[in-house]
Amino acid sequence: MATDEQAARRSFDLEPRGPHLSHRTIGTLAQGGGNPVGAVVDGTVRTWLTDPHGQLTLIVWPGIFRARFNPLEVLDDKATWSHVAENA
């Protein structure tokens, strides 16, 4: 459940959008490793995984996900956080 502070922060669509996946599949997508980072690009959020050498890998999200910042949080269709990046 979102706190009042979390609910007050603006959320953004995530792009690029991939196909809709079941919730059982989502966990396997996060096994790539790296640190998540995000940025607003043309009014939507794009997220990447960074490796220790600074290489960025763009993350494609199913359409049900959104994001918000401070800290970077990826939200599912029920607006509950799915991942928090501590240093985003």
Side-chain angles (χ1 to χ4, degrees):
M1 194 71 170
T3 65
D4 289 340
E5 179 183 328
Q6 289 171 323
R9 294 186 355 244
R10 180 178 174 197
S11 66
F12 297 85
D13 288 335
L14 281 161
E15 286 193 356
R17 291 186 183 266
H20 180 76
L21 301 172
S22 74
H23 287 284
R24 292 185 308 265
T25 307
I26 302 303
T28 62
L29 297 175
Q31 294 177 2
N35 294 315
V37 295
V40 177
V41 178
D42 296 328
T44 62
V45 171
R46 293 197 182 156
T47 56
W48 298 266
L49 289 176
T50 63
D51 69 15
H53 306 290
Q55 178 70 38
L56 297 174
T57 302
L58 183 64
I59 302 170
V60 177
W61 294 94
I64 62 170
F65 287 90
R66 296 179 57 79
R68 62 182 168 218
F69 290 97
N70 297 321
L72 173 62
E73 294 179 318
V74 175
L75 309 168
D76 64 14
D77 58 336
K78 295 172 184 58
T80 57
W81 66 272
S82 299
H83 187 273
V84 176
E86 297 297 327
N87 297 318

